[in-house]
Amino acid sequence: MNFASDNVWGAAPEMIEALRAANSGAAPSYGEDALTARLATVMDHLFERRVAAFPVISGTAANALALATIVPLQGAVFCHAAAHIVTDECGAPEFFTHGAKVVPLDGPEGKIGVRILEAAINRFVKGSVHHPQPAAVSITQATECGTCYEPPAIAAIADLAHRNGMRLHMDGSRLANAIAHLSCTPAEATWKAGVDVLSFGATKNCALGAESVVFFNPPDADDFEFRRKKAGHLLSKMRFMSAQLLCALEQDRWLAWASRANALARRLAEELEKLPSVEIGYPVEANSVFVFLPNATVARLRGRGAQFYDWGEPDNERTLVRLVTSHGTPESDIEQFLAAARP
C-alpha cells in the first residue's frame, strides 16, 4: 500500500509501448527528429495557439530554466511558502537565474491570494539597487496541498503581476489532475487566464520521465534553447521524451490517467471521513488527500505496510498525513488501507 507519492509508480503500459516504438531504427539527434516535430504541432493544438514548447527531463529543470528565462539576476520571484521551488529544488531557481531571490508567501490551502501578493510586491522599492526587483510570480497547479486554482483566481494574480511589469509562471507538475478537476480546457487554465510560461508535467502522471517548458508568447523563449543546452538538458535522444509526451497527449490519455487518480483520492477521503476522530485537512481536488488521523491509526497502518508521509509534527492525539494516489494505484490498495484504518 504505497501512498507516498505518484512518483513511486512506474510508467503506464502505453508509455512503454511508445518508447519501444521510438526505439526502432535511427533518428536525428537533439530534437531534430520527427516525434519532436510532431509534439510541437500537438502542443499548439492542445493550447489552441502557437506556443514554444521544449522537452526537459525533470520538473526541477523545467521550473528553474523557465524562471531563469523570464527573471533577471536582480529579480524576485513570489510564490507560496510550500511551493516546490522553495522546499524541494535545492536552490535550483536561484542557481539558474544567477541569484534571483525567491520570496515565499503564506496563504490558505497552498494558494497565494492577491492581497498578500500585492503587499509583498510593495515591500520592494522599484528602481532601488538595495532591493531585488519584482519580476515573476510562480503558482503551483495543483497546489502542494492538493487544491486547485480556479481560472478567475489565476487571472486575478496574472493581472496584478502584469500591472507590475512581472510575468506569471505556473508549475504544472500535476496540471492534468487540476484540469480533470476543473473541467476546463488547458488553454482556459493557462494562457487565457494570463499565464506566461508553464512547466508542463508528465512524470507524475504515468511517464517514465518527461516534462516540457511551454512559452505562450514564443518570442519570450528566444534564448531558452541556449539555456537548456548550457544546463545539460538538451538530450541527444530527445525522441524518447517527445514520445512520452505524445503518448500522454494523444487520445487525451493524460486526462484519463489523472481522472482515475483523482477519483481514487476522493474515494479514499470520503471513506476515511466516516471514521471517528478523522478530519480531512484540505479540500480534495486532485490526487492528494491530507488527513488528520489518530496516532494509533497511523502506527497501525504503518505496521500493516502502508507507506505515506507525515505532513508536520504529530500532536498528542493525531497526525496530519499525506496520501497520494496514482493511475497505477490498485483499487485493492484502497480497500486494504481503509480496512486497516477502521477501528
Side-chain angles (χ1 to χ4, degrees), residues 62-73:
N63 288 335
L65 289 172
L67 290 169
T69 305
I70 62 172
V71 175
L73 58 88

Side-chain angles (χ1 to χ4, degrees), residues 79-80 82 101 103 121 148 211 236 258 261 275 297 306 335:
C79 64
H80 194 274
K101 183 177 181 64
V103 182
I121 292 170
C148 298
E211 316 281 313
S236 61
L275 303 181
T297 303
E335 299 301 331

Side-chain angles (χ1 to χ4, degrees), residues 256-278:
W257 292 331
S259 294
R260 182 180 188 273
N262 287 5
L264 291 174
R266 286 194 304 272
R267 182 164 188 279
L268 195 57
E270 288 166 1
E271 294 300 320
L272 286 172
E273 201 167 23
K274 296 175 183 178
L275 303 181
S277 302
V278 170

Side-chain angles (χ1 to χ4, degrees), residues 125-327:
V125 179
K126 292 183 180 178
S128 171
V129 296
H130 302 289
H131 289 192
Q133 298 298 288
V137 180
S138 179
I139 60 175
T140 307
Q141 183 77 308
T143 74
E144 300 297 341
C145 293
T147 56
C148 298
Y149 286 93
E150 299 278 350
I154 298 171
I157 293 171
D159 180 63
L160 175 62
H162 295 157
R163 281 191 282 111
N164 282 275
M166 303 163 66
R167 304 292 182 84
L168 179 58
H169 165 256
M170 176 180 283
D171 177 353
S173 62
R174 294 187 175 99
L175 180 65
N177 302 93
I179 290 178
H181 166 74
L182 295 168
S183 298
C184 64
T185 68
E188 290 168 341
T190 55
W191 68 269
K192 287 186 177 181
V195 175
D196 296 295
V197 58
L198 165 71
S199 298
F200 180 93
T203 305
K204 288 181 169 65
N205 189 29
C206 296
L208 190 68
E211 316 281 313
S212 182
V213 179
V214 181
F215 292 89
F216 296 109
N217 181 32
D220 288 346
D222 279 350
D223 69 347
F224 184 86
E225 290 190 84
F226 293 97
R227 293 179 183 276
R228 181 175 61 169
K229 176 64 176 179
K230 285 188 72 172
H233 284 280
L234 179 63
L235 270 67
S236 61
K237 297 182 180 179
M238 185 75 72
R239 66 187 185 274
F240 293 109
M241 281 198 298
S242 298
Q244 293 176 76
L245 293 165
L246 282 169
C247 175
L249 295 175
E250 290 175 340
Q251 301 179 35
D252 281 339
R253 292 186 185 97
W254 68 306
L255 295 179
W257 292 331
S259 294
R260 182 180 188 273
N262 287 5
L264 291 174
R266 286 194 304 272
R267 182 164 188 279
L268 195 57
E270 288 166 1
E271 294 300 320
L272 286 172
E273 201 167 23
K274 296 175 183 178
L275 303 181
S277 302
V278 170
E279 179 188 355
I280 301 301
Y282 303 112
V284 179
E285 297 177 345
N287 63 322
S288 298
V289 179
F290 290 82
V291 57
F292 290 95
L293 294 175
N295 292 334
T297 303
V298 172
R300 184 168 65 252
L301 285 163
R302 289 201 164 113
R304 297 187 186 180
Q307 298 181 55
F308 50 87
Y309 286 114
D310 293 352
W311 217 253
E313 295 296 321
D315 60 24
N316 292 330
E317 298 181 356
R318 63 183 190 172
T319 303
L320 178 64
V321 305
R322 187 190 74 166
L323 311 171
V324 184
T325 55
S326 161
H327 171 266

